[in-house]
Amino acid sequence: MRSTLICVLGLFLMNTLCYGQYEDVILESPAFTLFEGDSVTLRCSHRPPGNEKEATFYRDGSPLELDTNHQSYRISDTAVEMTIHSVSVSDRNLYKCKFDGGRESEERRLQVEAGRRRVTLTADRKTIRGQQSVTLTCIMEDSADWEYDWFRKTSTDSGKPLQTADDGESNRFSISQGGIYTCRGRRSEPDALTPESNEVTIEETVSNKAVVTLQPNWSLIYSGETITVRCEIERGGNTRWEYEWRVNNLDSPQKDKEFRIRASSSSNINFMCKGRRDLYSSTEWSEAVTLRQSLNKAKPTLTADRSIIPVGGSVTLSCSVDSSADWKYYWFRRDSGSSALQFITNVKPVNKVSEGGIYQCRAGRGNPEISTEYSRAVTVWKTVSNKAVVTLQPNGPLIYSGETITVRCEIEEGENTRWEYEWRVNNLDISHKDYEYKIISASHSGDYRCKGRKDSYSSTDWSDAIRLTVSPNKPKPTVTADKTITPVGGRVTLSCSVDDSPDWKYDWFRQTSESSAPQLIRNVNPDRVTSVYEGGIYYCRGGRGDSVFYTEDSNKVTIQETVPNKAFVTLQPNWPEIYSGETVTIRCEIQGGGDTKWTYEWRPDNLNTSPTLSEHKISSTDYDSGGYSCRGLKDSYSFTEWSNVIRLTVSSNKPKAKLRADNRDIPVGGSVTLTCSVDSSSSGWKYYWNKSPGPLTTQDAVLQSNGQIKVSQGGSYWCRGGRGDPVYRTEYSDSIWINNIVSNKAVVTLQPNWTEIYRGETIVLRCEIHEGDTEWEYEWKSPRYTSTKKNEYMISNASSQHSGNYRCRGKMKNEGHNSTEWSADITLTVSDSKSAVLTVSPLWLSPGDSVTLSCEVEHPSAGWRFYWYKTVPKLSDNSYIYELLPGSISGTEQDSYIIHGPTHTAGYMCRAGRGDPVYYTQYSKPGFVWSGDVHSAVTLKVSPDRVQHFTSDSVSLSCEGNFTKWRVRSFPENRYRSDWYNWRSMTESTCNIYSSQQSDAVYWCESGSGEFSSAVNITIQKADIILVSPVHPVTEGQSVTLGCKLRTGGLLSNVFFYQNDKLIQNDTRRELNISAVSKSDEGFYKCKQSGKESAQSWMSVQDPAAVVTVSPLWLSPGDSVTLSCEVKHPSAGWRFYWYKTVPKRSDYSYIYELLPGSINGTEQDSYIIHGPTHTAGYMCRAGRGDPVYYTQYSKPGFVWSGDVHSAVTLKVSPDRVQHFTSDSVSLSCEGNFTEWRVRSFFPEDQNRSDCNWRSMTGSTCNIDSYHQSDAVYWCESGSGEFSNAVNITTQNADIILVSPVHPVTEGQSVTLGCKLRTGELLSNVFFYQNDKLIQNDTRRELKISAVSKSDEGFYKCKHSGEESAQSWMSVQAVSRPENSSSLVPLIVGLVCGVVFIILLILLYLYKRSKDSHSVRPIQSESTNQDSATHHMVNLNETQDHIYNSLLHGDVSIYESIRGSEDPENGKV
């Protein structure tokens, strides 16, 4: 400290000696480098101020002469300035100043760099339009610490500086006026200026608009025409404008407002102009105006709306030049092609004419007028009123080659006019000019029109067309007959037709055979129809005209005559069915045939051999089955009708006899009737019988008629039939076995005894024979006709085909024809797999409720066990996955399951199973229990926040909570809004309910991590009035407001309110206000106004709930446990009551024992338990008021101990922390007690009982999990003790760490391993402690021979890239002898005392050193004293804080120590 002070004093003296003579005159010069061309000001000033008024500046020790570039002037009594306006490299020298009194400054060097500083001005645009602005940017080399000056030059101002809002600090400047702009840099330590930048011209656009006009307003001018181009400025006022022109986008030297243009080429010219108010402001360029030029004269275009003037009408002629205005039009007409043009009128461009002729026009404009060329000529014809008509002689539209017809043109009322005629055939003009002409060839076919012409431009209209067809071939008539066969005594009508001409006459002809000569039977008859009575061949022909023109002969028609005789077919013998080897004769007989020599025709055709016969023999080898008929023919065209059809069946095979028995079993002392038959429609059969064993005797059988016999002996029987002479025999029948019935009785039994089973189940049917020791074989009748000789019939994997009746009987092994009667039928029903049906009671949770699940199987039967599941939302789709509930792995015999103390909305499912292997029903549909508690991990928000809504409302639902995915579910499900069930992220929009139908449903949220929210009722009403009431339960003590709302949107006044149908308010108020709600306010509410009544809704009132938290969760030796109690919706006045949980033997819950000092409650909301050593459970509740109102009890909170030396011990098998999901883990409790149960705690705050109360001699408790889970487990005894607690994790991985589930004691050996799901322990395993590799050799285990506290931590293993989860291994300290432990505080006290004395001595020495060597003022000492005091306070306040955490999966909080962290404030 002393040496430091001496150094400071030395530096002060040196400064005084070295710089004292210059301290009162200062030369201010720039410390930065200047560039050539910059300006700089040097300032010379007194310090302190002196009286000298004049000063001289020196450069390199010589006085500086002032000149135009070096100027000096006084700025105050104490300072003189000299400015160098444009520095150069020669100014790069040492400078000083000296006042007249002799005092001078120190020398300063002026730094000048060769080359001019680049100062560049840029603009983001060069033109300002409307309200726009332009941003100027001044870019300067070496621009740090410079400010900027801006200048604007106009036609009236020359370089006027501009003021900026930031005093030139920015190198950007926004302007809105035109002008020439420059900038420069400026610094003020001292003043320095850069040269001005380049000039940037900004032009400002004024709002006036320039327009180019043409005088006259012609867009096209022709040879000889002139036009004036003018620039007009809108709202130009009195401004003296200068004009700029662009012609074809090129700037023009023309500056006048207007100029004249004469057509000089055939190109187009584009004109644009603008007006300039001054050098920097002008209008925008006008829009371009295009002037077209032509070196030719204009030629008008003449058009006519039609070329023919109709009778009494006119034609409109139009003459046009171009789109330009000012044209005058002149019209001309000629009478003929050779006559001169005659001027007819001077009119507008449209002229209506009513006379035929040749018309032309031309136009002119301007002054003097310039005329166009003549237009093209347009010919106009006039139509006269006479009408032309084409006629035919004779009048037929169709003629044939060889005929002649005359075509004539008739002019109506045209008698005295000499007409010329014009013809058109098929719309083509022909040269024929005569009045008529004759048609004689086929080439003249077509449409004919004509007209008459009076002169060159007057004619009739064309006549209507008449179509004439000339056929090159003769026509051929067509003969048709109404029938081809004349009935007995009847006739046939024939028709002959050629075409539609009425002039035909007809000739008829008949032939008696194809070769006979035709006979004319009728001629030249205009009637084309005739009747005939005889058979024969008939045809016709037609003729017309004076010299008759004949058609060809028509087609021929054959007419047949039916005679009255009748034909019959007969069979000999009369067998309609014959077989292989049999023959039958068919015969055709003619009734009343007399002596006529008949020939015969048969059906089918294969019987019509030549000559035709009256009979045929039919055998199975030559003919087929079918119908047979015949008729008789007298001649070619006379025959009988067809006979009746006889159907004959011809079989190529021998028939086989059929044998049947009225019973296959002969009753004791009775008989059976056998019947033999041939399946044939023919008769005449006789039957022949056979029996085995032995011949058939009259003692065995009694012959009866109709092929029947009665037999009384068992055996095999068969038969056959025969007929005819010689006898034709059938094949033998199949044999029938006839049994003798014995007195023993067969019975069918079922194993298991289920008459109704389900698809896929297995069942065994057994046939049992009562009485006797005979050896039996067995026969079964089943729906599938399966027969077996065994007494058991097994159905595995049952299907619907197995449904039906089953029966059996026994046969004596050595006497096969002796058997029992069939057993009684047993009916087996195989149903499709059914779903179990789950019911949940209650549906809505109240505090302390237990929930009962009931599972029912449709058509219930014996043997079912029931499996119970909790639903977990499935993120991959809209369904659920199922987690088995505790104690349900093997199913329960009871069809109900009780869940104790649930508090949140949850979903459950069930199914049933039976048999070995187990057959399972389908899962039931989910059943839900709902909670209205809005304080669960997931909360459903409803907007608007009420129960009832109109059908026109949109209701928004959203889910809130600490999760990433959510969805909304409803009951009953809304099939119209399946998109609700889609998963959404927390940032996505809400779900909206739109409904046009009245509905009531429960809604809730589900999170992607498995939580369910509170549930709410929402009703959609079609009514005009609804009740406004809270959708969530309200808590006692809160205020609540109910209202009544119309569909139109307003809240109503003068409303009646009802609770549970009892009127509770009927005044003018519009709302029902309850300032502090209580349980008595719970109930159904509705409102009524002006006769309209709302639906009623339930308002739920909750008791305030208490929540207990326990810290720490795991005990360490010497820990105290702090309980904290919180009331939901906290308010003043609560006292807190503290309880210890005691297992309740009558069910799964607890009873509560008050903790000491808690009988009257505590004001503090926390309670400390000192020195607990065992696992324990705690609860709390709060109360206030007089009489005391209590909240509900909190859920139990637990503190866990891993100490295995407590009165109750939990044993785990296998003895490790981690297990596979496929493992079965056994838990058992050991201790001096009679009953025990296992409890568990899962991270989702589920405290549940995994095993019912068991006796000490009872079986273990097994954990079976199909899902990954982490939980704490412990035992509870019937006498109230709690065991040690253990962490057990169930992993879905393929590898786990094998580590002890209980803490190990210091000095013990411990072995850790790594295990695959297949069961083997691995070698070449890497082991890690707290993520640090501690073993990586070929050993398969990590062995610690004597474990110590340093071995405590998280362990995991890794093998072939697969890594296990990590688990905590806890190490307990060894108990020390009492006398040894008592020395520790003594030794620590002695060491602390010595250290404290040393600290006091050092503090004393430090104090003395400060008093003798410090040069600081007293104030500094007091400051240090305050700091020391503060230091001591922080030392006293510093404490070590130890935190322990629930060891859960891979997550834990390590034991940590926290101390002071702020050494600047004296904290260490």
Side-chain angles (χ1 to χ4, degrees):
M1 187 70 182
R2 181 183 302 163
S3 60
T4 302
L5 182 59
I6 292 172
C7 290
V8 171
L9 291 175
L11 289 171
F12 175 76
L13 291 173
M14 187 180 295
N15 182 65
T16 303
L17 291 172
C18 295
Y19 299 104
Q21 58 178 329
Y22 293 109
E23 70 176 355
D24 60 347
V25 176
I26 296 174
L27 176 63
E28 298 179 33
S29 67
F32 51 88
T33 301
L34 299 171
F35 286 79
E36 287 188 294
D38 289 350
S39 296
V40 65
T41 298
L42 305 180
R43 182 178 293 111
C44 189
S45 60
H46 293 280
R47 190 181 65 182
N51 296 320
E52 289 89 350
K53 306 299 184 182
E54 299 293 338
T56 302
F57 289 89
Y58 292 81
R59 180 169 63 191
D60 289 340
S62 299
L64 186 63
E65 296 294 332
L66 299 182
D67 52 25
T68 56
N69 198 46
H70 300 76
Q71 297 178 356
S72 175
Y73 58 94
R74 185 185 305 276
I75 62 169
S76 70
D77 290 342
T78 60
V80 176
E81 289 182 346
M82 180 190 71
T83 300
I84 305 175
H85 292 289
S86 180
V87 300
S88 65
V89 175
S90 61
D91 293 317
R92 187 165 57 194
N93 300 104
L94 289 171
Y95 289 84
K96 70 177 179 178
C97 67
K98 184 177 181 181
F99 280 97
D100 290 349
R103 287 181 296 172
E104 62 182 29
S105 72
E106 63 178 335
E107 284 188 321
R108 301 290 186 187
R109 180 171 296 279
L110 189 64
Q111 300 292 336
V112 180
E113 187 170 316
R116 294 180 68 85
R117 186 190 305 271
R118 287 192 298 273
V119 181
T120 305
L121 181 63
T122 62
D124 61 350
R125 65 173 67 88
K126 295 295 183 71
T127 304
I128 300 173
R129 290 184 172 85
Q131 301 299 317
Q132 291 180 337
S133 63
V134 171
T135 299
L136 303 179
T137 303
C138 193
I139 303 169
M140 187 171 63
E141 190 176 1
D142 190 21
S143 60
D145 301 325
W146 288 84
E147 296 176 348
Y148 298 87
D149 293 329
W150 303 86
F151 302 92
R152 173 175 177 260
K153 187 194 317 181
T154 66
S155 56
T156 57
D157 295 323
S158 178
K160 181 179 179 180
L162 302 176
Q163 184 68 33
T164 61
D166 59 359
D167 291 330
E169 291 181 3
S170 173
N171 72 329
R172 294 180 182 271
F173 185 35
S174 183
I175 60 171
S176 58
Q177 292 180 301
I180 298 176
Y181 288 86
T182 58
C183 68
R184 70 182 180 191
R186 165 173 45 84
R187 290 184 71 159
S188 56
E189 69 279 351
D191 295 339
L193 300 172
T194 69
E196 285 193 25
S197 70
N198 58 296
E199 292 183 343
V200 172
T201 301
I202 303 299
E203 188 167 303
E204 179 184 354
T205 302
V206 297
S207 61
N208 306 74
K209 185 177 181 182
V211 179
V212 176
T213 62
L214 301 176
Q215 295 296 330
N217 188 21
W218 301 340
S219 60
L220 172 63
I221 60 175
Y222 299 93
S223 176
E225 290 188 310
T226 301
I227 196 168
T228 298
V229 183
R230 182 175 296 150
C231 187
E232 304 280 357
I233 307 297
E234 294 181 355
R235 302 186 311 278
N238 298 323
T239 304
R240 295 186 63 181
W241 297 93
E242 292 183 0
Y243 297 90
E244 297 180 13
W245 289 90
R246 284 183 181 170
V247 179
N248 291 334
N249 290 324
L250 298 176
D251 291 338
S252 171
Q254 180 64 248
K255 299 296 182 183
D256 295 332
K257 180 176 182 178
E258 63 181 37
F259 54 92
R260 295 180 66 78
I261 296 291
R262 179 181 293 274
S264 59
S265 67
S266 295
S267 60
N268 296 342
I269 308 176
N270 293 322
F271 295 97
M272 298 171 66
C273 74
K274 73 175 178 178
R276 181 169 296 284
R277 198 161 56 184
D278 54 34
L279 289 175
Y280 310 112
S281 56
S282 66
T283 68
E284 296 269 11
W285 284 100
S286 70
E287 293 181 359
V289 170
T290 301
L291 177 64
R292 294 179 294 147
Q293 301 179 95
S294 176
L295 291 179
N296 301 318
K297 274 192 171 186
K299 184 173 182 178
T301 301
L302 178 60
T303 59
D305 62 345
R306 53 179 173 263
S307 60
I308 300 174
I309 302 171
V311 177
S314 62
V315 168
T316 300
L317 303 178
S318 298
C319 187
S320 61
V321 181
D322 55 28
S323 58
S324 302
D326 302 333
W327 291 102
K328 296 179 182 177
Y329 295 90
Y330 304 91
W331 294 90
F332 303 89
R333 176 178 175 270
R334 282 202 300 262
D335 291 335
S336 66
S338 58
S339 62
L341 279 173
Q342 298 177 0
F343 175 73
I344 56 174
T345 185
N346 181 3
V347 295
K348 294 180 180 180
V350 177
N351 186 18
K352 288 190 176 181
V353 297
S354 55
E355 293 294 329
I358 299 173
Y359 288 87
Q360 286 181 275
C361 71
R362 73 176 181 184
R365 69 178 177 184
N367 187 15
E369 185 174 272
I370 304 295
S371 296
T372 67
E373 296 181 357
Y374 284 99
S375 72
R376 69 174 180 86
V378 171
T379 301
V380 176
W381 287 274
K382 181 177 181 180
T383 304
V384 297
S385 60
N386 306 76
K387 185 176 181 181
V389 177
V390 176
T391 61
L392 299 176
Q393 295 297 329
N395 187 20
L398 175 63
I399 63 173
Y400 299 93
S401 179
E403 289 189 295
T404 301
I405 193 167
T406 299
V407 183
R408 184 174 295 150
C409 187
E410 305 279 356
I411 306 296
E412 295 179 355
E413 301 176 1
E415 292 82 359
N416 299 325
T417 304
R418 295 186 63 180
W419 298 94
E420 291 183 358
Y421 297 91
E422 296 180 12
W423 289 91
R424 282 183 180 170
V425 179
N426 294 330
N427 288 324
L428 296 176
D429 293 336
I430 61 175
S431 59
H432 192 80
K433 300 295 184 182
D434 294 337
Y435 165 64
E436 66 181 18
Y437 64 95
K438 294 184 181 297
I439 305 299
I440 59 173
S441 68
S443 62
H444 293 139
S445 295
D447 293 332
Y448 286 80
R449 302 171 70 192
C450 73
K451 72 175 178 179
R453 180 168 296 285
K454 288 176 66 175
D455 54 36
S456 298
Y457 305 108
S458 300
S459 67
T460 68
D461 266 337
W462 285 100
S463 69
D464 294 333
I466 192 166
R467 181 174 293 275
L468 178 63
T469 302
V470 181
S471 174
N473 303 315
K474 277 190 173 186
K476 182 175 182 177
T478 301
V479 173
T480 58
D482 61 346
K483 51 183 170 287
T484 58
I485 299 174
T486 59
V488 177
R491 64 180 179 177
V492 171
T493 299
L494 304 178
S495 298
C496 184
S497 61
V498 181
D499 56 29
D500 294 335
S501 174
D503 299 328
W504 295 104
K505 295 180 181 178
Y506 301 92
D507 297 333
W508 289 93
F509 301 88
R510 175 178 179 267
Q511 292 175 280
T512 56
S513 68
E514 288 288 346
S515 60
S516 65
Q519 299 174 356
L520 180 64
I521 61 173
R522 192 175 182 186
N523 69 329
V524 194
N525 193 324
D527 190 356
R528 64 188 188 88
V529 178
T530 188
S531 296
V532 296
Y533 302 91
E534 296 178 293
I537 299 172
Y538 292 86
Y539 64 93
C540 71
R541 72 177 177 186
R544 69 179 178 184
D546 293 337
S547 56
V548 180
F549 171 80
Y550 286 106
T551 68
E552 295 183 358
D553 291 339
S554 74
N555 59 299
K556 294 181 178 182
V557 174
T558 299
I559 303 299
Q560 296 177 328
E561 179 185 357
T562 304
V563 297
N565 306 76
K566 193 169 184 181
F568 293 92
V569 176
T570 61
L571 291 175
Q572 292 297 329
N574 189 20
W575 298 340
E577 183 175 17
I578 61 174
Y579 299 93
S580 174
E582 287 189 303
T583 301
V584 69
T585 300
I586 60 171
R587 181 175 294 132
C588 186
E589 298 180 358
I590 306 298
Q591 186 179 22
D595 299 330
T596 304
K597 296 185 70 175
W598 297 90
T599 59
Y600 298 89
E601 185 178 359
W602 288 89
R603 290 178 180 166
D605 288 339
N606 60 351
L607 296 179
N608 292 321
T609 58
S610 181
T612 55
L613 302 175
S614 63
E615 66 180 36
H616 293 275
K617 288 188 179 296
I618 305 297
S619 68
S620 62
T621 57
D622 298 327
Y623 294 96
D624 298 325
S625 298
Y628 291 84
S629 63
C630 69
R631 69 177 177 178
L633 282 72
K634 288 177 66 176
D635 56 35
S636 299
Y637 306 107
S638 301
F639 43 76
T640 68
E641 291 181 343
W642 284 99
S643 71
N644 60 306
V645 177
I646 284 186
R647 187 158 298 279
L648 179 63
T649 302
V650 180
S651 175
S652 61
N653 302 317
K654 270 192 174 186
K656 184 176 181 178
K658 290 185 177 179
L659 178 62
R660 69 178 185 275
D662 62 347
N663 196 339
R664 297 291 182 96
D665 301 320
I666 302 173
V668 178
S671 63
V672 169
T673 300
L674 304 179
T675 303
C676 189
S677 62
V678 178
D679 191 5
S680 172
S681 58
S682 301
S683 59
W685 296 102
K686 296 180 180 179
Y687 297 93
Y688 305 87
W689 294 90
N690 296 275
K691 172 182 178 291
S692 177
L696 185 66
T697 66
T698 55
Q699 294 178 351
D700 299 332
V702 178
L703 295 175
Q704 296 182 332
S705 60
N706 299 326
Q708 290 183 339
I709 62 172
K710 282 191 175 183
V711 296
S712 56
Q713 293 295 323
S716 179
Y717 293 85
W718 65 97
C719 68
R720 68 176 175 175
R723 71 177 177 183
D725 187 15
V727 177
Y728 172 81
R729 289 182 171 83
T730 68
E731 300 275 4
Y732 284 105
S733 71
D734 294 330
S735 62
I736 290 180
W737 185 267
I738 303 298
N739 294 310
N740 285 329
I741 300 301
V742 297
S743 59
N744 305 72
K745 187 174 182 182
V747 177
V748 177
T749 60
L750 296 174
Q751 293 296 329
N753 190 21
W754 304 334
T755 58
E756 180 173 12
I757 61 175
Y758 295 93
R759 186 187 298 274
E761 282 195 294
T762 297
I763 196 167
V764 176
L765 294 89
R766 183 172 292 133
C767 189
E768 298 179 357
I769 308 295
H770 295 176
E771 301 173 359
D773 298 328
T774 306
E775 290 190 15
W776 300 92
E777 291 180 347
Y778 298 87
E779 186 179 358
W780 289 88
K781 283 188 178 179
S782 69
R784 305 187 73 177
Y785 305 102
T786 302
S787 179
T788 178
K789 293 186 177 181
K790 296 181 180 179
N791 72 323
E792 287 188 352
Y793 184 88
M794 175 178 283
I795 299 173
S796 58
N797 194 21
S799 67
S800 58
Q801 295 179 341
H802 292 107
S803 292
N805 295 327
Y806 290 80
R807 56 180 174 166
C808 73
R809 68 178 177 181
K811 287 187 175 183
M812 293 182 179
K813 266 193 176 181
N814 298 324
E815 299 179 43
H817 56 275
N818 292 332
S819 66
T820 68
E821 288 188 351
W822 286 100
S823 69
D825 286 343
I826 192 164
T827 301
L828 186 65
T829 303
V830 181
S831 303
D832 288 337
S833 179
K834 299 294 184 183
S835 296
V837 179
L838 178 71
T839 56
V840 181
S841 178
L843 293 175
W844 286 90
L845 288 174
S846 296
D849 276 352
S850 292
V851 174
T852 300
L853 309 180
S854 298
C855 195
E856 180 183 353
V857 179
E858 192 175 348
H859 308 300
S861 53
W864 293 106
R865 295 186 69 82
F866 297 91
Y867 301 82
W868 310 92
Y869 303 85
K870 180 179 180 181
T871 62
V872 177
K874 190 176 181 183
L875 268 171
S876 59
D877 55 33
N878 295 328
S879 62
Y880 296 95
I881 56 177
Y882 327 127
E883 289 186 352
L884 272 168
L885 291 173
S888 183
I889 186 71
S890 301
T892 63
E893 291 185 5
Q894 296 77 20
D895 59 358
S896 62
Y897 185 95
I898 298 176
I899 301 168
H900 297 279
T903 57
H904 300 320
T905 298
Y908 301 96
M909 302 175 78
C910 73
R911 66 173 176 172
R914 67 179 181 183
D916 185 15
V918 179
Y919 166 79
Y920 294 101
T921 67
Q922 298 177 34
Y923 289 96
S924 70
K925 291 182 179 178
F928 294 91
V929 59
W930 296 299
S931 168
D933 181 12
V934 297
H935 305 291
S936 53
V938 186
T939 303
L940 173 63
K941 297 294 185 182
V942 182
S943 179
D945 184 12
R946 61 176 186 256
V947 175
Q948 296 183 21
H949 304 269
F950 295 111
T951 50
S952 57
D953 289 344
S954 174
V955 184
S956 298
L957 308 179
S958 62
C959 302
E960 297 180 1
N962 187 22
F963 47 84
T964 57
K965 294 284 187 182
W966 62 273
R967 67 183 179 192
V968 172
R969 302 292 292 208
S970 67
F971 183 86
E973 290 188 351
N974 189 326
R975 57 192 173 97
Y976 302 106
R977 292 307 306 269
S978 60
D979 60 311
W980 290 345
Y981 311 139
N982 296 336
W983 288 103
R984 300 166 181 253
S985 67
M986 283 304 295
T987 57
E988 287 187 73
S989 59
T990 57
C991 288
N992 294 320
I993 304 174
Y994 303 97
S995 177
S996 58
Q997 302 295 323
Q998 186 159 314
S999 64
D1000 299 89
V1002 180
Y1003 294 84
W1004 69 95
C1005 290
E1006 296 173 359
S1007 77
S1009 51
E1011 294 90 351
F1012 288 67
S1013 74
S1014 55
V1016 298
N1017 275 304
I1018 295 179
T1019 71
I1020 308 296
Q1021 300 291 335
K1022 271 191 171 181
D1024 293 328
I1025 189 172
I1026 60 171
L1027 176 73
V1028 179
S1029 62
V1031 72
H1032 294 294
V1034 292
T1035 303
E1036 279 195 298
Q1038 288 184 318
S1039 63
V1040 68
T1041 299
L1042 280 68
C1044 208
K1045 187 176 183 180
L1046 281 178
R1047 184 179 287 274
T1048 54
L1051 281 170
L1052 300 170
S1053 56
N1054 299 322
V1055 178
F1056 292 2
F1057 288 95
Y1058 296 80
Q1059 180 190 15
N1060 299 327
D1061 287 324
K1062 180 181 179 182
L1063 181 64
I1064 57 173
Q1065 180 176 300
N1066 63 345
D1067 51 29
T1068 59
R1069 287 175 289 177
R1070 64 169 59 200
E1071 294 173 332
L1072 172 63
N1073 293 310
I1074 306 172
S1075 59
V1077 73
S1078 66
K1079 199 66 177 177
S1080 62
D1081 295 312
E1082 189 171 68
F1084 282 103
Y1085 286 82
K1086 65 181 178 181
C1087 64
K1088 186 186 292 186
Q1089 198 258 1
S1090 300
K1092 294 182 179 180
E1093 182 176 304
S1094 74
Q1096 61 180 2
S1097 289
W1098 178 266
M1099 185 178 75
S1100 180
V1101 179
Q1102 288 182 337
D1103 293 332
V1107 178
V1108 69
T1109 56
V1110 181
S1111 178
L1113 294 173
W1114 285 89
L1115 288 174
S1116 294
D1119 277 351
S1120 292
V1121 174
T1122 300
L1123 309 180
S1124 299
C1125 195
E1126 179 188 357
V1127 178
K1128 295 181 181 179
H1129 307 297
S1131 54
W1134 293 107
R1135 295 185 68 82
F1136 299 91
Y1137 300 82
W1138 310 93
Y1139 303 86
K1140 180 178 180 180
T1141 62
V1142 177
K1144 189 177 181 182
R1145 293 177 62 182
S1146 59
D1147 55 29
Y1148 304 123
S1149 61
Y1150 296 94
I1151 56 177
Y1152 326 127
E1153 291 184 354
L1154 271 168
L1155 291 173
S1158 181
I1159 191 164
N1160 295 319
T1162 64
E1163 291 184 3
Q1164 295 78 20
D1165 60 357
S1166 62
Y1167 185 96
I1168 298 176
I1169 302 168
H1170 297 281
T1173 57
H1174 301 316
T1175 299
Y1178 301 97
M1179 302 173 75
C1180 73
R1181 66 172 175 172
R1184 67 179 178 185
D1186 188 14
V1188 179
Y1189 168 79
Y1190 293 100
T1191 67
Q1192 300 172 35
Y1193 287 96
S1194 71
K1195 292 182 186 177
F1198 293 90
V1199 58
W1200 295 296
S1201 169
D1203 181 12
V1204 297
H1205 304 293
S1206 53
V1208 185
T1209 302
L1210 172 62
K1211 297 294 184 182
V1212 181
S1213 179
D1215 184 11
R1216 61 176 185 256
V1217 176
Q1218 297 183 20
H1219 303 268
F1220 293 111
T1221 50
S1222 56
D1223 291 344
S1224 177
V1225 184
S1226 298
L1227 308 178
S1228 61
C1229 301
E1230 298 180 2
N1232 188 20
F1233 46 84
T1234 56
E1235 287 186 318
W1236 59 273
R1237 67 183 179 190
V1238 172
R1239 300 288 287 194
S1240 61
F1241 182 86
F1242 283 78
E1244 59 267 25
D1245 195 26
Q1246 292 182 350
N1247 178 24
R1248 64 194 192 194
S1249 176
D1250 285 272
C1251 290
N1252 302 335
W1253 286 105
R1254 299 168 181 255
S1255 67
M1256 282 306 295
T1257 57
S1259 61
T1260 58
C1261 177
N1262 293 322
I1263 303 171
D1264 295 284
S1265 177
Y1266 300 108
H1267 305 286
Q1268 188 158 310
S1269 63
D1270 302 89
V1272 180
Y1273 292 85
W1274 68 95
C1275 290
E1276 297 173 356
S1277 74
S1279 52
E1281 293 89 353
F1282 287 70
S1283 76
N1284 59 305
V1286 296
N1287 277 303
I1288 295 179
T1289 72
T1290 304
Q1291 299 293 334
N1292 206 17
D1294 292 327
I1295 188 171
I1296 60 172
L1297 175 74
V1298 178
S1299 62
V1301 72
H1302 297 292
V1304 292
T1305 305
E1306 279 188 304
Q1308 287 183 328
S1309 64
V1310 67
T1311 300
L1312 279 69
C1314 208
K1315 186 176 182 181
L1316 283 179
R1317 184 178 287 274
T1318 55
E1320 61 179 310
L1321 281 170
L1322 299 169
S1323 57
N1324 297 324
V1325 178
F1326 292 1
F1327 288 93
Y1328 296 80
Q1329 180 189 16
N1330 298 329
D1331 285 323
K1332 180 180 178 182
L1333 181 63
I1334 58 174
Q1335 180 175 300
N1336 63 344
D1337 51 30
T1338 59
R1339 288 174 289 178
R1340 68 169 57 201
E1341 295 173 330
L1342 172 64
K1343 293 187 177 181
I1344 306 173
S1345 58
V1347 75
S1348 65
K1349 197 65 177 177
S1350 62
D1351 294 314
E1352 189 171 66
F1354 280 104
Y1355 286 82
K1356 66 181 178 180
C1357 64
K1358 187 185 291 186
H1359 172 78
S1360 298
E1362 294 196 56
E1363 183 177 302
S1364 74
Q1366 61 180 0
S1367 290
W1368 178 266
M1369 185 177 75
S1370 180
V1371 178
Q1372 288 181 336
V1374 177
S1375 303
R1376 305 284 190 243
E1378 187 174 346
N1379 57 355
S1380 174
S1381 61
S1382 64
L1383 292 176
V1384 175
L1386 178 60
I1387 294 170
V1388 173
L1390 290 174
V1391 172
C1392 290
V1394 172
V1395 172
F1396 182 72
I1397 293 169
I1398 293 171
L1399 286 173
L1400 288 177
I1401 294 170
L1402 291 174
L1403 183 61
Y1404 173 75
L1405 294 175
Y1406 175 73
K1407 179 69 173 175
R1408 290 190 61 188
S1409 175
K1410 279 187 66 180
D1411 292 342
S1412 58
H1413 302 299
S1414 177
V1415 294
R1416 297 188 181 182
I1418 297 174
Q1419 183 178 357
S1420 299
E1421 293 183 10
S1422 64
T1423 302
N1424 282 334
Q1425 289 173 1
D1426 292 341
S1427 180
T1429 304
H1430 189 194
H1431 169 70
M1432 293 179 64
V1433 169
N1434 276 282
L1435 282 175
N1436 291 334
E1437 289 178 352
T1438 301
Q1439 296 179 3
D1440 294 338
H1441 300 279
I1442 300 175
Y1443 296 86
N1444 290 299
S1445 167
L1446 165 62
L1447 307 180
H1448 169 220
D1450 294 343
V1451 181
S1452 77
I1453 302 174
Y1454 295 107
E1455 199 168 53
S1456 59
I1457 300 177
R1458 186 178 66 192
S1460 302
E1461 298 172 349
D1462 191 0
E1464 291 183 3
N1465 292 324
K1467 296 182 181 179
V1468 296

